């Protein structure tokens, strides 16, 4: 028996097993990190118009390869996880002033205002009105990074703090932010318009904020006055269609759903004395039973059904999702609109991208930008391992906004020239007998 065990074939077998294990590990790493995926320019969907030609010419990032960090940047999960965990690298701390706006129902909306740090490339007064992602606010690192970059490019920035999201600001009414409530964002925009009568607006929305800003613009034509353009990033367009995909394990969406639901539970419970206390408005239907259901909720759908929809008196979850989604308002937006979604975003199912694609086929003002990589609000750039402080997302928003401002300035100059020529012709006609 000992002679059999000491045969030279056994070490070769063990070496083969080790080699197979290493090969299997490398295969898993390559698949998980998506290392075989090629880099490419974003897929652009738009109609052939003078504006689209100008944007393509003026925004080189739209036609240039987006190159994420070599080792992990092609994984949408890692990009999303890094955004969720640390936001950005070496995030700056821009100085802003917090504004408080009383709402008709007793709530108090807040936003932070950041003045520009340089003159805008057109010399005009431009304000970016920014709506962050779910449960986010102006103190989040990805918001601070973008605001600092926008300030240095001559933009004033106003950043909405979602109602109930700031940990040190108490609610003044039994209501929190919801998926598509535009009241606080509208109050911020109106306050900016009143405070700065000469300013023009660039509307920017991240994730859930993208849904809110698009819905706001489409709700009434007056909401688009003095708005130059809108940029929406990584939103899902239809909560009703998205919630079905959020319950699937494909791309780990069920896990993301659980993590986001857990975060929402913490925020709601932070304000439980206002939302569920004796002083809360019981007509909204929140009671101790709802709070008990909140403790056991494992998905956003359960929280939306038991808590969020009741803030605005929706009778069913379906009604809440349909009324709060921007899907039914997108066709009312007439200002230039750029819709950005990463193809590898694990939170936004590929089927949802048919919504912006279809919209761009019917609306000349819409440009859809679909980078292969970037995850959900990641879009990190870097050579091998360590990401850079600024992301592709930060740069492309400012580049697009600059192009739109230059386009509008050019249109205004052409209109003035045409008017001058018409006045000259009219004067010449009057003088000639």
């Amino acid at each position: 028996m000992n002679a059999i065990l000491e045969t030279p074939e056994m070490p070769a077998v063990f070496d083969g097993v080790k080699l197979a294990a290493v090969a299997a590990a490398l295969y898993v790493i390559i698949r998980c990190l998506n290392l075989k995926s090629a880099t490419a320019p974003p897929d652009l969907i738009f109609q052939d118009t003078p504006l689209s030609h100008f944007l393509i010419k003026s925004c080189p990032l739209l036609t240039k390869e987006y190159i994420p960090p070599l080792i992990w940047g092609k994984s949408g999960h890692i990009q999303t996880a890094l955004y969720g965990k640390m936001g950005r690298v070496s995030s700056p701390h821009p100085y802003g002033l917090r504004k408080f706006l009383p709402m008709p129902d007793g709530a108090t909306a807040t936003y932070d205002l950041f003045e520009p740090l340089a003159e805008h490339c057109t010399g005009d007064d431009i304000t970016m009105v920014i709506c962050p992602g779910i449960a986010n606010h102006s103190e989040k690192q990805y918001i601070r990074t973008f605001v600092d970059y926008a300030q240095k490019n001559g933009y004033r920035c106003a950043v909405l703090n979602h109602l109930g999201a700031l940990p040190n600001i108490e609610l003044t009414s039994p209501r929190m932010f919801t998926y598509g409530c535009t009241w606080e964002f509208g109050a911020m925009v109106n306050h900016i318009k009143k405070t700065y009568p000469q300013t023009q607006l660039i509307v920017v929305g991240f994730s859930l904020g993208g849904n809110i800003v698009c819905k706001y613009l489409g709700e009434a034509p007056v909401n688009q006055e003095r708005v130059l353009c809108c940029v929406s990033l990584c939103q899902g367009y239809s909560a009703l269609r998205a919630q079905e995909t959020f319950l699937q394990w494909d791309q780990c969406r069920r896990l993301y759903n659980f993590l986001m639901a857990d975060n929402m539970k913490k925020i709601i419970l932070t304000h439980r004395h206002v939302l569920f206390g004796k002083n809360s408005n019981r007509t909204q239907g929140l009671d101790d039973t709802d709070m008990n259901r909140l403790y056991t909720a494992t998905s956003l759908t359960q929280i939306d059904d038991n808590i969020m929809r009741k803030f605005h008196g929706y009778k069913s979850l379906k009604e809440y999702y349909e009324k709060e989604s921007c899907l039914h308002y997108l066709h009312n937006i007439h200002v230039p609109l750029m819709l950005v979604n990463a193809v590898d975003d694990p939170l936004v199912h590929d089927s949802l991208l048919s919504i912006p694609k279809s919209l761009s086929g019917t609306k000349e003002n819409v440009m859809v930008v679909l980078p292969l990589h970037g995850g959900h609000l990641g879009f990190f750039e870097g050579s091998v391992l360590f990401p850079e402080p600024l992301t592709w997302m930060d740069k492309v928003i400012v580049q697009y906004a600059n192009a739109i401002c230059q386009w509008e300035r050019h249109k205004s100059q052409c209109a003035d020239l045409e008017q001058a020529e018409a006045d000259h012709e009219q004067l010449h006609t009057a003088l000639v007998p």
Side-chain angles (χ1 to χ4, degrees):
M1 178 65 69
N2 291 335
I4 295 176
L5 292 175
E6 293 175 358
T7 55
E9 287 80 4
M10 293 304 294
V13 172
F14 287 129
D15 289 341
V17 172
K18 292 178 182 178
L19 184 61
V22 170
L26 288 175
Y27 174 78
V28 171
I29 291 173
I30 291 173
R31 286 296 301 271
C32 290
L33 297 180
N34 202 22
L35 294 177
K36 294 182 67 177
S37 176
T39 58
D43 187 16
L44 304 179
I45 306 174
F46 57 90
Q47 293 192 31
D48 189 6
T49 65
L51 174 59
S52 62
H53 283 286
F54 181 81
L55 291 172
I56 295 299
K57 181 180 178 180
S58 305
C59 301
L61 286 176
L62 295 178
T63 54
K64 180 182 176 182
E65 277 186 331
Y66 161 55
I67 303 178
L70 179 63
I71 294 179
W72 51 266
K74 295 178 181 178
S75 168
H77 294 290
I78 296 182
Q79 290 250 19
T80 303
L82 285 180
Y83 145 73
K85 189 65 177 178
M86 67 180 188
R88 291 293 181 260
V89 178
S90 303
S91 179
H93 294 268
Y95 173 77
L97 296 176
R98 182 153 295 164
K99 305 292 184 177
F100 296 82
L101 305 176
M103 304 296 291
D105 66 342
T108 303
T110 68
Y111 75 91
D112 285 19
L113 185 65
F114 305 85
E115 292 296 335
L117 299 177
E119 185 178 359
H120 191 265
C121 61
T122 63
D124 295 330
D125 185 310
I126 312 292
T127 302
M128 284 191 174
V129 284
I130 302 166
C131 192
I134 183 171
N136 288 175
H137 44 75
S138 62
E139 298 175 7
K140 290 294 183 179
Q141 290 190 358
Y142 79 99
I143 294 294
R144 296 198 331 242
T145 299
F146 173 69
V147 165
D148 180 74
Y149 183 60
Q151 284 180 289
K152 291 175 180 177
N153 280 270
Y155 292 96
R156 179 186 299 108
C157 294
V159 183
L160 180 70
N161 300 308
H162 284 301
L163 201 60
L166 281 170
N168 58 338
I169 300 294
E170 293 286 339
L171 292 177
T172 58
S173 74
R175 179 173 68 84
M176 283 180 54
F177 76 93
T178 58
Y179 176 68
C181 179
T182 61
W183 296 353
E184 290 77 47
F185 184 77
M188 179 182 75
V189 170
N190 290 334
H191 190 257
I192 290 293
K193 288 181 177 180
K194 182 178 180 181
T195 306
Y196 303 96
Q198 303 303 318
T199 196
Q200 294 176 296
L201 305 180
I202 305 289
V203 179
V204 181
F206 298 94
S207 191
L208 171 141
N211 177 75
I212 289 176
V213 300
C214 288
K215 182 172 177 283
Y216 169 77
L217 291 177
E219 283 177 338
V222 68
N223 293 347
Q224 298 179 52
E225 292 180 359
R226 293 167 57 185
V227 172
L228 297 179
C229 68
C230 174
V231 182
S232 163
L233 303 109
C234 300
Q235 69 150 308
Y237 306 99
S238 170
L240 189 62
R241 290 167 58 174
Q243 63 95 15
E244 298 173 357
T245 68
F246 252 31
L247 297 176
Q248 302 169 359
W249 281 101
D250 178 46
Q251 291 292 315
C252 300
R253 267 184 294 275
R254 186 63 180 89
L255 176 61
Y256 289 111
N257 191 355
F258 174 80
L259 295 174
M260 289 190 292
D262 188 59
N263 185 52
M264 279 298 301
K265 286 164 65 173
K266 293 176 182 177
I267 295 174
I268 294 172
L269 291 173
T270 299
H271 301 287
R272 61 182 176 273
H273 298 298
V274 178
L275 298 176
F276 302 95
K278 295 180 180 179
N279 296 326
S280 66
N281 185 353
R282 291 293 176 174
T283 61
Q284 292 176 330
L286 294 181
D287 53 31
D288 293 337
T289 303
D290 294 317
M291 188 162 69
N292 292 333
R293 291 171 179 168
L294 175 65
Y295 280 114
T296 60
T298 60
S299 70
L300 289 174
T301 302
Q302 292 172 318
I303 295 176
D304 289 340
D305 194 19
N306 293 312
I307 306 294
M308 309 305 285
R309 69 173 177 84
K310 296 180 181 179
F311 290 141
H312 294 281
Y314 291 109
K315 297 180 180 179
S316 67
L317 184 65
K318 181 179 179 181
E319 181 188 17
Y320 169 66
Y321 282 157
E322 286 183 339
K323 295 290 181 64
E324 298 253 321
S325 295
C326 71
L327 174 63
H328 306 295
Y329 298 89
L330 290 170
H331 65 280
N332 294 331
I333 301 176
H334 303 297
V335 298
L337 173 63
M338 182 170 74
L339 304 172
V340 182
N341 289 92
V343 175
D344 67 351
D345 188 337
L347 302 185
V348 180
H349 192 272
D350 183 65
S351 63
L352 297 172
L353 299 184
S354 63
I355 297 173
K357 291 178 182 178
S358 299
L359 183 70
S360 65
T362 59
K363 299 281 290 183
E364 291 185 352
N365 60 306
V366 177
M367 174 175 286
V368 179
V369 182
L370 304 173
L372 283 177
H373 309 109
H376 191 78
L377 296 181
F379 299 104
F380 292 97
E381 291 184 308
S383 55
V384 180
L385 181 61
F386 298 103
E388 298 175 359
L390 274 179
T391 69
W392 177 89
M393 179 179 74
D394 302 317
K395 298 173 186 177
V396 79
I397 297 173
V398 170
Q399 200 171 90
Y400 177 84
N402 285 344
I404 291 295
C405 292
Q406 292 165 358
W407 171 262
E408 291 296 327
R409 187 64 179 261
H410 175 70
K411 283 173 53 181
S412 177
Q413 291 173 344
C414 290
D416 291 342
L417 180 60
E418 290 177 0
Q419 182 62 46
E421 291 177 348
D423 292 342
H424 181 269
E425 182 66 26
Q426 186 177 8
L427 178 61
H428 176 74
T429 304
L431 293 176
V432 175

